[in-house]
Amino acid sequence: MNYGFDGKVALVTGASGGIGRATALGFAASGAAVVVSDVNDTGGKETVALIAAAGGKAVYQRCNVADAGEVKALVARAVSEFGRLDFAHNNAGINNMGSDEYDDAVWDRAIAINLSGVMYCMREEADVMLKQGRGAIVNTSSINGLVGNPAQPGYTATKHGVIGLTRHGALRWAKAGIRVNAVCPGVIETPMTAPLTANPEMKEVLDGLTPMGRMGQAEEIAAAVLWLCSDQASFVTGHPLVVDGGATAT
Ligand SMILES: NC(=O)c1ccc[n+]([C@@H]2O[C@H](COP(=O)([O-])OP(=O)(O)OC[C@H]3O[C@@H](n4cnc5c(N)ncnc54)[C@H](O)[C@@H]3O)[C@@H](O)[C@H]2O)c1
């Protein structure tokens, strides 16, 4: 799907692979110039190379989203490099699978990256978009932002928090031309879930968690993000869009 984003500028965090890379490639394929960001420099530069190889335009900027100063510099780079910022996908996140999230350090890290990181990004992006009188932001939450997960208090709380921030931003900037939405992926095959899917038995379990009988693909999440940014979604704001193969339909 080509949304005709020629002349537009998109920023994607957590874009060294998985969902973020798929979104960055999708923005570029629709004509936008893309600022690719991550803390994994190798993967981020690979994403830029993939975009360039497909004839698109992108730059890489390292940014730890838990660092407010680095986020400020990231958004400033979008403006200095391409002159504006139309779309932002605040997607960087961690899942502390297997660790005890009642450990203070594990909890604090989830809050810093998954929740504070989204807030830092939103406020800097909105600052630019307010001056333009236009923009669209999509935050990556999760189905764990809508339903509980007994294993992961930090992940569950932060992903619920992302939906709260999304609704806040939507209301705050509704009259300023900025739409803010969230995407809530189900179980998706990405580097995040790769340690689990490497085990065929676990892959079968994960496939079975979804009514469709399979894990989702990063491109299926990217498609939702691109639509939310497009003019096709011009009256959609404050919405947590579930893309989960039916996992939360039960
Ligand atoms: N894969 C799933 O099943 C699934 C389900 C629901 C939600 N999500 C969410 O989707 C988003 C993308 O995850 P993914 O599945 O593509 O996995 P992923 O691990 O490939 O992507 C996450 C990216 O965030 C980056 N990152 C981690 N800490 C960072 C930091 N401090 N600053 C900047 N970047 C940082 C990682 O390097 C990585 O590239 C995450 O927010 C995740 O919570 C994933």
Side-chain angles (χ1 to χ4, degrees), residues 174-191:
K175 288 200 170 67
I178 305 173
R179 294 184 298 104
V180 187
N181 290 290
V183 67
C184 301
V187 191
I188 311 301
E189 220 168 337
T190 68

Side-chain angles (χ1 to χ4, degrees), residues 1-154:
M1 178 81 187
N2 185 332
Y3 282 107
F5 291 154
D6 297 297
K8 305 284 190 196
V9 178
L11 182 163
V12 185
T13 67
S16 75
I19 293 167
R21 172 177 284 176
T23 305
L25 289 168
F27 275 128
S30 273
V34 187
V35 179
V36 170
S37 183
D38 207 289
V39 286
N40 171 347
D41 296 340
T42 307
K45 287 174 187 170
E46 264 171 30
T47 302
V48 169
L50 287 168
I51 290 173
K57 207 190 300 179
V59 293
Y60 175 71
Q61 169 106 4
R62 181 187 177 82
C63 172
N64 171 8
V65 295
D67 183 314
E70 289 190 23
V71 171
K72 201 174 181 60
L74 171 65
V75 174
R77 173 84 189 274
V79 176
S80 68
E81 191 80 35
F82 298 122
R84 55 186 295 113
L85 180 64
D86 299 283
F87 313 124
H89 182 199
N90 301 322
N91 167 74
I94 53 161
N95 184 326
N96 297 305
M97 271 183 290
S99 41
D100 178 5
E101 286 204 12
Y102 282 105
D103 175 273
D104 290 356
V106 174
W107 169 267
D108 289 347
R109 193 160 172 264
I111 299 285
I113 297 173
N114 291 1
L115 191 56
S116 300
V118 172
M119 188 278 279
Y120 298 150
C121 287
M122 273 177 52
R123 88 176 162 200
E124 298 302 333
E125 292 153 3
D127 212 34
V128 175
M129 292 173 179
L130 282 168
K131 289 177 197 135
Q132 297 170 177
R134 193 177 162 81
I137 295 172
V138 178
N139 299 319
T140 301
S141 176
S142 165
I143 54 173
N144 287 152
L146 294 163
V147 298
N149 175 343
Q152 296 166 307

